């Protein structure tokens, strides 16, 4: 499936397309807010958000929260987490899945924060530009763009739009981006196209749509508020979908 997001180079066509994509994203946000309202925006210090976001990879919010609680049942401080054997950390966060991978990423993140700032306060990163802050966080092994952006959006209030698996699926189906695009490419493409200040509600509402309506295996297009502007739904009606 093609998307309207095809010209990511400079030039008049790209400028026109940028405005077109920005309008479409604004319309998506408007419709979702009409249905879901303005979501509560999670708050927290950047380091705890970073740890929670690492724990959230490939699992539900319930499992992430359980793993986070169990992490703090097992350890009393960040120092203790950092100094413990990887197997102890892995055991503590097992309920969230991918425990070894997440344990390594958490240790890498804590070590990085301690070495860079001298303690476990990541908030100085909020003083950086969004581009630099993202670059810094993604230099930590195990921290990808989405995790970095979630941390900076919710922990620092930076104007960055994180694209998770639900958002990528919804945007591909809508035809905002081609079906073949990676999440990394979608992140880059959307830069400058999401209205500043709406990143958090837009992020949360598209995820809600992805979890409840635009399901991975069987999207419920009939009940979707984006039905009439969706490429996937249009093709489905014409019997053209291969997904
Ligand atoms: S119309 Fe269907 S495919 Fe399109 S966004 Fe809605 S649920 Fe997803």
């Amino acid at each position: 499936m093609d998307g309207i997001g095809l010209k990511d180079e400079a030039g008049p066509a790209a400028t026109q397309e940028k405005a077109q994509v920005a309008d479409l994203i604004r319309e998506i946000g408007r419709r979702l807010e009409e249905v879901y309202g303005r979501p509560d925006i999670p708050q927290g210090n950047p380091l705890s958000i970073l740890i929670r976001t690492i724990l959230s990879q490939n699992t539900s919010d319930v499992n992430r929260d359980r793993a986070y609680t169990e992490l703090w049942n097992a350890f009393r401080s960040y120092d203790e987490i950092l100094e413990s054997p990887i197997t102890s950390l892995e055991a503590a966060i097992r309920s969230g899945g991918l425990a070894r991978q997440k344990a390594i990423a958490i240790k890498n993140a804590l070590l990085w924060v301690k070495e860079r700032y001298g303690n476990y306060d990541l908030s100085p990163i909020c003083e950086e530009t969004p581009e630099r802050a993202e670059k810094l966080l993604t230099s930590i092994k195990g921290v990808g763009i989405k995790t970095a952006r979630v941390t900076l959006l919710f922990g620092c209030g930076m104007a960055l739009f994180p694209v998770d698996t639900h958002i990528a699926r919804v945007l591909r189906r809508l035809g905002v981006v081609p079906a073949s695009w990676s999440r990394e490419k979608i992140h880059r493409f959307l830069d400058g196209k999401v209205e500043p200040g709406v990143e958090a509600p837009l992020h949360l509402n598209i995820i809600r749509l992805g979890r409840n309506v635009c399901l991975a295996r069987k999207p419920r297009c009939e009940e979707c508020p984006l039905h009439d502007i969706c490429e996937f739904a249009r093709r489905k009606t014409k019997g053209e979908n291969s997904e």
Side-chain angles (χ1 to χ4, degrees):
M1 187 195 296
D2 287 345
I4 62 171
L6 295 172
K7 305 174 194 68
D8 49 345
E9 72 277 12
T15 307
Q16 191 189 3
E17 185 200 66
K18 183 176 172 179
Q20 203 185 342
V21 174
D23 284 349
L24 180 54
I25 290 171
R26 194 175 301 114
E27 178 63 11
I28 292 166
R30 189 191 65 74
R31 289 188 188 202
L32 293 181
E33 272 200 36
E34 232 172 66
V35 178
Y36 298 139
R38 271 248 154 177
D40 290 336
I41 308 299
Q43 310 273 330
N45 73 68
L47 185 55
S48 68
I49 291 180
L50 175 59
I51 303 296
R52 284 167 66 89
T53 310
I54 290 171
L55 289 173
S56 76
Q57 289 163 8
N58 270 298
T59 196
S60 64
D61 288 357
V62 173
N63 285 343
R64 174 206 61 200
D65 290 344
R66 191 180 306 145
Y68 190 75
T69 303
E70 285 165 2
L71 173 71
W72 288 114
N73 286 340
F75 300 98
R76 283 165 300 180
S77 66
Y78 285 127
D79 265 329
E80 208 175 290
I81 296 173
L82 197 52
E83 285 156 18
S84 71
I86 192 82
T87 46
S88 308
L89 178 53
E90 201 180 333
I93 61 172
R94 195 172 305 285
S95 58
L98 300 176
R100 169 55 67 122
Q101 186 182 311
K102 292 177 185 177
I104 293 170
I106 289 170
K107 274 186 175 269
N108 286 342
L110 292 178
L111 187 61
W112 185 89
V113 173
K114 188 158 190 197
E115 282 182 355
R116 185 172 182 88
Y117 300 113
N119 54 35
Y120 295 107
D121 180 10
L122 180 57
S123 54
I125 205 165
C126 301
E127 305 304 317
E128 305 282 356
T129 63
E131 295 73 24
R132 167 109 179 116
E134 180 182 315
K135 208 168 177 179
L136 285 169
L137 284 186
T138 52
S139 72
I140 303 169
K141 205 151 184 265
V143 175
I145 303 176
K146 186 213 76 177
T147 299
R149 288 191 173 198
V150 167
T151 303
L152 297 168
L153 173 64
F154 296 112
C156 299
M158 283 187 184
L160 287 166
F161 186 71
V163 177
D164 81 334
T165 182
H166 297 289
I167 295 176
R169 181 176 68 253
V170 171
L171 294 181
R172 289 182 189 123
R173 283 177 173 165
L174 283 166
V176 175
V177 295
S180 60
W181 278 18
S182 67
R183 276 208 275 150
E184 162 137 25
K185 194 163 181 181
I186 299 173
H187 272 114
R188 300 292 166 228
F189 176 74
L190 291 180
D191 283 344
K193 298 183 178 88
V194 176
E195 204 179 332
V198 305
E199 295 88 353
L202 184 67
H203 171 84
L204 295 168
N205 276 347
I206 300 182
I207 289 176
R208 186 165 170 185
L209 182 85
R211 283 185 177 149
N212 300 313
V213 180
C214 193
L215 306 175
R217 295 186 65 179
K218 209 166 179 220
R220 298 177 179 149
C221 300
E222 321 68 45
E223 57 190 82
C224 179
L226 308 177
H227 185 269
D228 61 307
I229 55 170
C230 179
E231 181 69 11
F232 181 96
R234 189 186 65 74
R235 289 182 182 230
K236 190 169 156 186
T237 308
K238 292 170 80 181
E240 290 174 4
N241 275 331
S242 54
E243 196 182 310

